[in-house]
Amino acid sequence: MIVEKDYQFSGDKEVLNYSSIWNRFVAWLIDIVIVFFSIFFIKLIPNGVNAITSLLFYSRPVDEYYINYWVIQIAIVVVVFWLYFALMESLSTQGTIGKMIAGIKVVNEEEEKISFANASGRFFLQLVSLCLLGIGHLLALFFKNKQTLYDVLSKCVVIKR
């Protein structure tokens, strides 16, 4: 079976066709909707957090109970997002459902599938970038290969399928 790669040719050099920041943004929005819908559809957060919080902090004051409730809820959301992004990007799909719909995939700099550890590191670096008001994401506007800061640090690129 012959597999065609999406290359552009510039003189004698072949250049990989990188994904635009807008394709990545659309894929990210689709993924956010999918994961939040899944979390609330199965009612993991309300029931699961209440059970965990009441087991761990039953004899504590009410205000401490609510603080612990939100900490556990945020932790569950981060874990669900981490597993979704890291597993999907490290599987043979090489991207989340949003990335597949947008027609893009994540590869390393040698154009190979990334590992779960690499995908996990990439996810947590992306989380740091989001906490810093998305500054790391904006670098994709300036790099020739359209990499974000977390792509550069994790040695990954996002290309068109």
Side-chain angles (χ1 to χ4, degrees):
M1 181 168 122
I2 297 175
V3 178
E4 292 183 25
K5 292 193 176 190
D6 194 10
Y7 288 103
Q8 295 175 343
F9 292 93
S10 172
D12 292 336
K13 296 168 68 177
E14 62 181 33
V15 181
L16 198 56
N17 198 358
Y18 298 103
S19 172
S20 73
I21 194 168
W22 299 112
N23 273 358
R24 294 173 72 156
F25 182 70
V26 166
W28 181 77
L29 284 177
I30 293 168
D31 290 329
I32 295 298
V33 169
I34 289 170
V35 174
F36 271 123
F37 178 75
S38 299
I39 288 171
F40 290 111
F41 179 73
I42 60 175
K43 297 185 179 186
L44 174 69
I45 292 174
N47 297 331
V49 174
N50 277 335
I52 293 169
T53 308
S54 65
L55 285 174
L56 295 175
F57 308 105
Y58 182 70
S59 62
R60 306 285 172 113
V62 172
D63 57 340
E64 190 174 327
Y65 173 83
Y66 284 115
I67 291 170
N68 293 325
Y69 173 85
W70 285 107
V71 168
I72 293 170
Q73 187 172 13
I74 291 168
I76 289 173
V77 169
V78 169
V79 167
V80 169
F81 270 96
W82 162 59
L83 289 175
Y84 173 74
F85 278 92
L87 284 172
M88 293 292 290
E89 290 175 355
S90 64
L91 293 173
S92 60
T93 59
Q94 294 180 292
T96 59
I97 295 170
K99 285 182 178 70
M100 287 187 275
I101 291 170
I104 57 179
K105 65 181 178 177
V106 180
V107 295
N108 64 15
E109 292 175 337
E110 289 81 35
E111 300 176 41
E112 300 168 342
K113 181 174 74 93
I114 62 174
S115 67
F116 179 75
N118 198 357
S120 295
R122 187 175 181 275
F123 170 78
F124 287 109
L125 288 168
Q126 182 178 13
L127 196 60
V128 170
S129 178
L130 284 171
C131 291
L132 297 173
L133 303 175
I135 292 171
H137 291 75
L138 295 177
L139 290 179
L141 296 172
F142 303 106
F143 281 128
K144 185 173 161 184
N145 56 2
K146 301 177 182 165
Q147 284 180 296
T148 60
L149 181 60
Y150 57 90
D151 288 333
V152 172
L153 293 174
S154 64
K155 299 182 178 166
C156 294
V157 290
V158 179
I159 60 173
K160 294 182 180 177
R161 290 189 179 270

